Amino acid sequence: MSGRPEQLYPLFADLETLEGVGPKTAQNFAGLHVSRPRDLIFNMPHSGIDRTARPTVQGAILPEVITVEVSVGAHKPARNRGGAYRITVEDAETTFQLVFFHGRSNYLQSVLPEGARRVVSGKVELFDGVAQMVHPDHMLPLEEASDIPSFEPVYPLTAGVSLKQMGKAVTSALTRVPDLPEWIDPEQKKQAGWPDWAAAVQAAHQPEAPEDLQATAPARERLAYDELMAHQLTLALARSQLRRAQGMVTRGTGAKQAQVLAALPYTPTGAQSRAIAEIQADMAAPTKMNRLLQGDVGAGKTLVAFMALLTAVEAGGQGVMMAPTEILARQHMEGLQPLAEDAGVVLELLTGRDKGKERTAKLAALARGDIQMLVGTHAVFQKDVEFQDLRLAVVDEQHRFGVRQRLELGKKGAGADVLVMTATPIPRSLALAQYGDMDVSVLDEKPPGRKPIKTAMVSTGRMDEVVNHLHKAVQEGKQAYWVCPLVEESEVMDLTAADERFKHLRAVLGEGVVGLVHGQMPPADKDAAMADFVAGKTNVLVATTVIEVGVNVPNATIMVIERAESFGLAQLHQLRGRVGRGAAESTCLLLYQAPLNETGEKRLTSLRETEDGFRIAEVDLEMRGSGDLIGTAQSGLPRFRVADLERQAPLMAVAQSDARKLLNDDPTLESDRGKAARVLLWLMEQDQAIRLISVG
């Protein structure tokens, strides 16, 4: 896998090697993220223009693009500078005008000499009852007329690149397309009726009718599949890399788990029991576990994670649970402490705050195996942290934790199993795109006893009513979150929005009742404000969205979200999940600025109608498209050029099973199909995969 396969060289050459592309045009192409012939090939036409020749413009419903044979009549140059240069032409039944602004007489005389026959193609419109074709797209002698495609593809364009230049560059790039060996499973290809790669590329760029532009057209579908396949191969390689890593066989006795279950006031849901069983089966296997535990807000992930950690302890080993922030680490600690007491297990916390002697003592206890379970922040990654026998790492909140960190964590306990927890329900197609290297357990039932949250929409015009309602609630000892919108333009404005709301509420509710947290605060102040709210010292917490993830205040029963229409659905669902954690009735108020636009309304009403995070995620995906759903930049979700994750979700699942099967049959990609797959990885620039193969 030493370097890029030779047959791909022409596709990775400079753009300027293409016909009609000079340095200036090449620069303009960059606006479309096109810098090599390969990028042009994956820049698909999005529509087309019908240029089938017809005998006359007579009877056409204008304006319309018409291709017609004419004889050229009189030229009428413009009377003044910048005026219109007109040429009368005659088709089989009628006359019309060709119009040119800034037309140069000698040029037009030579291209359209009077008395000549020409084929012209362009948009014909009526001006004062006269049919006119302004600046025809094509004007050719009859013998060259066959150069005009009967259906001309239209591409995404950018400043400085015309459709003509794009067409020329693409045509030139298509001459470079090599025949590549087939990487798709032959059965799959036959069943789907897909063409070979080179044929698919040609067909996608030479549509003959509008249906050839659909995502379902065989050529387009095949190219989308290639993209998904390359992505899934990368994930499957990372997965097999993790799997090849020697794991440890960890089997619990079940004794401590039984103690915990006996002490619980409820029985686990079917989904929880199922997830625990899946995780324990993975831990008992000799390969490393790499599993995602996906559950909606309040689906009981903590219990499942604790049972997995107990399995490690019962087997004589240790477990660690990692959170992205100090606050969340403390909350996990509080959540796990009572369970650990029921099980008689030693549980400790390690964060960046641990210093000096205390830290040294904890590290020694960890290395001796006296601490059986550790909860911590990324401080757990530091060099001097050593476990006696680490069997399981549970990682909370995947987003900040990509494939690389997963591999990194693996080094701590060379054979440790990894369980990642995320509270963000994701539709299946995206879960496959983002976590395709992992196996997934889903908690899709709510534990008994969680009360539904009342969700209401209130216009900001009724702000005073809302504040009065809050005043009453605070006097009854209730706690509330008040979330301020993130102002895109600047963090400073964001700050003032939160600040002003804080001052307003403090004036109405009284000193010492209201706390404030926002992104610009020093971490220590943020922690202090959160701690006061958690301890019940303040009743209302005004916050920008920093409270989204994981904060647990069972006494908080009111969530006010200001300018709710400016938040994404998934985010609103996460925020709402901060209340409804205790026994009391909870309310979520969505404050919106009237009038709401259609999307804003759909978003807020979907939220009001359901508390099912997976359903909400599906709606969100339909509404926003995959790119924004998880904020592509931070999620490691790839940018696909041809594939459309919303409409082609089923293809992603096929690509995943195909990629896994291929690697299973041919782990080092040495077979003919394996070698073809290597070419695909180079073609799609899957550098991470290429590195994994070269290492493997």
Side-chain angles (χ1 to χ4, degrees):
M1 200 75 188
S2 48
R4 183 180 292 137
E6 227 163 289
Q7 67 244 66
L8 295 181
Y9 287 177
L11 294 179
F12 284 85
D14 273 343
L15 266 190
E16 293 176 39
T17 57
L18 294 175
E19 217 172 306
V21 181
K24 189 86 190 85
T25 316
Q27 244 176 334
N28 293 336
F29 266 119
L32 289 165
H33 302 292
V34 168
S35 59
R36 295 147 315 181
R38 155 202 187 278
D39 307 329
L40 274 176
I41 282 172
F42 292 119
N43 186 41
M44 296 281 147
H46 53 67
S47 57
I49 301 170
D50 185 353
R51 294 200 191 271
T52 318
R54 52 177 95 183
T56 176
V57 300
Q58 188 84 35
I61 296 161
L62 303 180
E64 194 183 351
V65 171
I66 294 180
T67 305
V68 62
E69 184 181 326
V70 297
S71 57
V72 181
H75 282 237
K76 191 174 172 197
R79 276 201 297 271
N80 47 12
R81 273 191 60 189
Y85 186 116
R86 299 169 190 278
I87 303 176
T88 306
V89 294
E90 189 177 351
D91 65 25
E93 294 188 18
T94 183
T95 59
F96 61 97
Q97 292 184 339
L98 305 183
V99 180
F100 300 86
F101 291 95
H102 306 290
R104 295 201 311 285
S105 206
N106 41 9
Y107 166 72
L108 291 171
Q109 296 282 357
S110 69
V111 183
L112 298 162
E114 203 164 325
R117 305 282 298 167
R118 291 285 183 265
V119 171
V120 292
S121 180
K123 189 180 199 175
V124 177
E125 304 186 59
L126 274 181
F127 283 101
D128 299 331
V130 181
Q132 304 189 342
M133 186 185 286
V134 179
H135 292 276
D137 303 319
H138 301 275
M139 308 176 283
L140 296 171
L142 306 192
E143 60 276 13
E144 290 173 32
S146 60
D147 288 0
I148 301 176
S150 54
F151 186 74
E152 183 179 29
V154 175
Y155 289 88
L157 298 173
T158 181
V161 178
S162 68
L163 187 55
K164 216 170 202 165
Q165 283 175 308
M166 175 61 85
K168 205 172 202 171
V170 169
T171 308
S172 174
L174 289 177
T175 60
R176 311 253 178 114
V177 169
D179 275 318
L180 296 176
E182 188 53 80
W183 47 76
I184 295 178
D185 176 68
E187 227 358 79
Q188 164 70 24
K189 185 178 165 197
K190 200 170 85 190
Q191 207 186 325
W194 288 335
D196 287 345
W197 183 75
V201 170
Q202 302 288 351
H205 288 282
Q206 289 157 357
E208 284 167 15
E211 45 275 21
D212 295 342
L213 296 163
Q214 302 292 331
T216 47
R220 295 283 283 243
E221 195 174 75
R222 161 165 192 153
L223 295 172
Y225 184 77
D226 292 337
E227 210 168 16
L228 299 175
M229 172 84 180
H231 173 63
Q232 285 297 334
L233 259 176
T234 301
L235 290 169
L237 279 160
R239 176 172 185 261
S240 66
Q241 195 79 351
L242 285 159
R243 299 212 133 200
R244 274 211 301 273
Q246 205 34 59
M248 290 180 275
V249 173
T250 301
R251 280 200 185 85
T253 59
K256 291 185 181 297
Q257 295 173 64
Q259 286 171 288
V260 173
L261 290 174
L264 284 179
Y266 57 88
T267 48
T269 63
Q272 283 177 313
S273 307
R274 213 174 29 247
I276 292 169
E278 288 170 345
I279 292 165
Q280 290 178 337
D282 277 1
M283 290 175 73
T287 49
K288 279 175 73 159
M289 167 167 78
N290 191 28
R291 188 172 279 280
L292 177 71
L293 176 61
Q294 199 188 357
D296 204 351
V297 181
K301 290 182 292 292
T302 308
L303 180 70
V304 175
F306 186 72
M307 288 303 189
L309 289 164
L310 266 191
T311 305
V313 174
E314 289 175 352
Q318 293 163 297
V320 62
M321 185 173 205
M322 289 187 45
T325 65
E326 178 122 6
I327 289 178
L328 289 177
R330 290 190 184 282
Q331 294 214 328
H332 279 310
M333 184 72 186
E334 284 157 26
L336 296 176
Q337 195 75 55
L339 297 172
E341 280 165 20
D342 292 333
V345 168
V346 182
L347 174 72
E348 268 294 354
L349 179 70
L350 181 69
T351 69
R353 287 202 185 165
D354 288 298
K355 300 273 191 294
K357 282 188 187 147
E358 235 175 280
R359 182 180 150 93
T360 315
K362 276 186 192 176
L363 295 185
L366 203 58
R368 283 198 306 274
D370 294 350
I371 295 175
Q372 294 162 296
M373 279 184 203
L374 185 69
V375 175
T377 53
H378 50 251
V380 174
F381 276 132
Q382 286 163 345
K383 294 263 191 307
D384 57 353
V385 179
E386 280 176 27
F387 293 83
Q388 186 200 28
D389 179 11
L390 179 63
R391 299 293 185 90
L392 173 68
V394 180
V395 182
D396 182 23
E397 273 305 322
Q398 172 69 15
H399 295 309
R400 307 174 183 71
F401 220 80
V403 173
R404 277 191 208 88
Q405 285 92 330
R406 304 210 272 274
L407 289 161
E408 174 71 31
L409 185 69
K411 293 179 193 146
K412 260 296 166 223
D417 288 321
V418 177
L419 177 67
V420 174
M421 301 199 297
T422 172
T424 316
I426 311 178
R428 177 140 194 265
S429 56
L430 285 189
L432 289 173
Q434 207 185 355
Y435 306 123
D437 59 320
M438 309 182 82
D439 301 300
V440 182
S441 295
V442 178
L443 297 181
D444 48 11
E445 300 168 48
K446 287 256 166 97
R450 285 205 54 133
K451 296 202 173 144
I453 299 167
K454 281 200 306 225
T455 302
M457 291 163 61
V458 183
S459 139
T460 42
R462 295 167 53 197
M463 180 73 80
D464 294 346
E465 279 176 58
V466 174
V467 175
N468 289 336
H469 172 79
L470 194 61
H471 196 209
K472 279 203 210 64
V474 164
Q475 285 172 328
E476 290 164 21
K478 293 181 179 160
Q479 284 183 281
Y481 293 98
W482 188 296
V483 177
C484 294
L486 272 171
V487 181
E488 289 301 320
E489 289 79 70
S490 77
E491 294 180 328
V492 182
M493 280 180 64
D494 182 35
L495 189 62
T496 43
D499 231 15
E500 278 169 23
R501 180 59 61 223
F502 168 66
K503 288 183 181 134
H504 171 200
L505 291 175
R506 192 175 58 183
V508 180
L509 307 175
E511 288 287 333
V513 178
V514 189
L516 172 68
V517 236
H518 57 73
Q520 295 348 91
M521 290 167 93
D525 297 1
K526 214 187 302 190
D527 284 358
M530 297 288 282
D532 283 349
F533 186 64
V534 172
K537 286 187 195 155
T538 50
N539 289 66
V540 178
L541 186 62
V542 174
T544 50
T545 44
V546 285
I547 61 163
E548 236 179 294
V549 184
V551 186
N552 190 13
V553 182
N555 190 42
T557 53
I558 301 167
M559 168 63 73
V560 181
I561 304 173
E562 198 174 331
R563 294 299 296 267
E565 74 277 12
S566 66
F567 291 93
L569 241 183
Q571 213 178 13
L572 288 168
H573 176 64
Q574 287 294 323
L575 287 167
R576 173 171 63 182
R578 298 295 115 228
V579 295
R581 296 175 159 246
E585 290 276 315
S586 289
T587 326
C588 174
L589 296 180
L590 304 170
L591 291 182
Y592 65 88
Q593 183 103 25
L596 271 179
N597 64 12
E598 206 180 323
T599 32
E601 186 154 357
K602 183 174 175 195
R603 210 178 279 161
L604 300 186
T605 46
S606 323
L607 197 74
R608 189 177 61 190
E609 280 151 27
T610 178
E611 276 195 69
D612 173 355
F614 288 92
R615 177 71 205 109
I616 284 172
E618 297 287 347
V619 175
D620 204 9
L621 182 59
E622 283 159 30
M623 286 177 64
R624 286 208 286 169
S626 57
D628 314 325
L629 190 61
I630 334 189
T632 311
Q634 62 164 27
S635 69
L637 193 70
R639 285 266 183 227
F640 293 121
R641 284 204 155 184
V642 186
D644 172 340
L645 275 185
E646 292 82 272
R647 292 182 192 76
Q648 298 181 309
L651 278 185
M652 181 64 102
V654 179
Q656 184 187 58
S657 59
D658 194 12
R660 288 186 174 187
K661 182 177 175 304
L662 172 61
L663 277 180
N664 194 43
D665 302 346
D666 177 15
T668 53
L669 297 182
E670 297 299 340
S671 66
D672 287 348
R673 192 176 157 216
K675 289 199 176 95
R678 289 172 172 243
V679 174
L680 169 69
L681 291 171
W682 279 104
L683 175 68
M684 296 297 184
E685 302 192 282
Q686 295 287 332
D687 304 348
Q688 202 179 349
I690 290 163
R691 277 199 303 277
L692 284 170
I693 297 176
S694 348
V695 172

